Amino acid sequence: AQSVTQPDIHITVSEGASLELRCNYSYGATPYLFWYVQSPGQGLQLLLKYFSGDTLVQGIKGFEAEFKRSQSSFNLRKPSVHWSDAAEYFCAVGAGTASKLTFGTGTRLQVTL
Amino acid sequence: DGGITQSPKYLFRKEGQNVTLSCEQNLNHDAMYWYRQDPGQGLRLIYYSQIVNDFQKGDIAEGYSVSREKKESFPLTVTSAQKNPTAFYLCASRDTGTVSNEKLFFGSGTQLSVL
């Protein structure tokens, strides 16, 4: 069965600092990988996705993620964080169909001014 | 604007009561999903439907029921058999047309609490 681990429950960064959120997955074949963001009391919005090809994927709001098969990781990065990036971030892995997406437990990002 | 509408935003359930959460989409998506979100546990799949008049159980279907009589609508009923219903419920939909559309569109959620 597929699984996702987000080891950091809560991260605090200063505005303008760089950010990296960790995601490790377990899946036998080539996974479909996603990062979603959720503002309090709201639904989730897709930041970026990886299916195949270039292992460095660009997303919305200046985010990027790198797929590393050897490390089973799909870490999310942003070079300079803005206060509006404060939210909860979820990594998810799929087997090719979104109906079987497995979500991680999320990382809450706090941004200090 | 196209999107997914969940109602109500907040819902309270009494002991032994069934309650129904509404989910409507005007994105013309074939597939629809219900997730339950608990603090620190991420999202867990309750039920999903790939096409009208068909649906499958997800990972935590016990105590829940759904119907899919129309493409636009996928209501979720939380029955009295669900002993711990307090959670944030998210509805989502997906365009199943092409692989490149493999992403979920989410509603803004319903917070269900027990009185």
Side-chain angles (χ1 to χ4, degrees):
Chain A
Q2 61 207 41
S3 65
V4 177
T5 301
Q6 293 182 249
D8 303 306
I9 297 173
H10 187 200
I11 284 182
T12 300
V13 299
S14 300
E15 188 175 39
S18 63
L19 171 70
E20 182 170 27
L21 301 182
R22 296 183 290 166
C23 172
N24 293 98
Y25 69 89
S26 174
Y27 183 65
T30 299
Y32 284 43
L33 294 161
F34 306 81
W35 274 100
Y36 284 86
V37 60
Q38 183 183 33
S39 298
Q42 298 297 316
L44 278 69
Q45 180 185 22
L46 180 70
L47 284 175
L48 47 79
K49 59 186 177 183
Y50 170 80
F51 294 160
S52 64
D54 192 347
T55 57
L56 183 64
V57 294
Q58 303 296 322
I60 62 171
K61 304 184 180 185
F63 286 93
E64 66 177 26
E66 186 171 12
F67 171 58
K68 293 185 177 180
R69 184 187 300 276
S70 61
Q71 298 177 20
S72 297
S73 70
F74 189 56
N75 293 349
L76 182 72
R77 301 193 294 248
K78 187 170 184 178
S80 177
V81 170
H82 188 263
W83 64 266
S84 60
D85 293 324
E88 188 149 22
Y89 292 81
F90 291 92
C91 182
V93 62
T97 61
S99 63
K100 294 298 183 183
L101 271 188
T102 299
F103 286 84
T105 52
T107 297
R108 182 165 297 279
L109 173 65
Q110 183 177 356
V111 180
T112 58
L113 301 177
Chain B
D1 290 337
I4 300 179
T5 301
Q6 289 188 243
S7 61
K9 181 73 172 175
Y10 301 96
L11 186 59
F12 297 91
R13 193 191 89 167
K14 296 179 181 178
E15 290 289 335
Q17 185 182 40
N18 293 351
V19 292
T20 297
L21 284 61
S22 171
C23 178
E24 303 278 333
Q25 55 100 357
N26 60 5
L27 299 167
N28 199 34
H29 288 172
D30 288 313
M32 297 186 73
Y33 309 82
W34 275 106
Y35 287 90
R36 170 177 171 144
Q37 185 177 19
D38 296 277
Q41 295 193 42
L43 279 69
R44 293 180 290 170
L45 183 64
I46 305 172
Y47 268 98
Y48 63 100
S49 169
Q50 303 276 51
I51 196 169
V52 174
N53 292 323
D54 186 46
F55 49 83
Q56 288 79 40
K57 293 181 179 180
D59 300 320
I60 56 166
E62 186 174 353
Y64 300 97
S65 66
V66 293
S67 63
R68 188 83 187 278
E69 298 177 0
K70 298 187 300 181
K71 187 175 186 179
E72 303 79 20
S73 179
F74 191 42
L76 173 74
T77 297
V78 183
T79 74
S80 57
Q82 173 49 247
K83 298 307 180 186
N84 184 25
T86 297
F88 191 56
Y89 291 84
L90 286 163
C91 180
S93 71
R94 178 175 70 95
D95 178 3
T96 57
T98 64
V99 171
S100 63
N101 287 326
E102 285 279 351
K103 77 172 189 179
L104 295 171
F105 290 80
F106 284 85
S108 56
T110 293
Q111 176 64 50
L112 175 62
S113 303
V114 177
L115 288 176

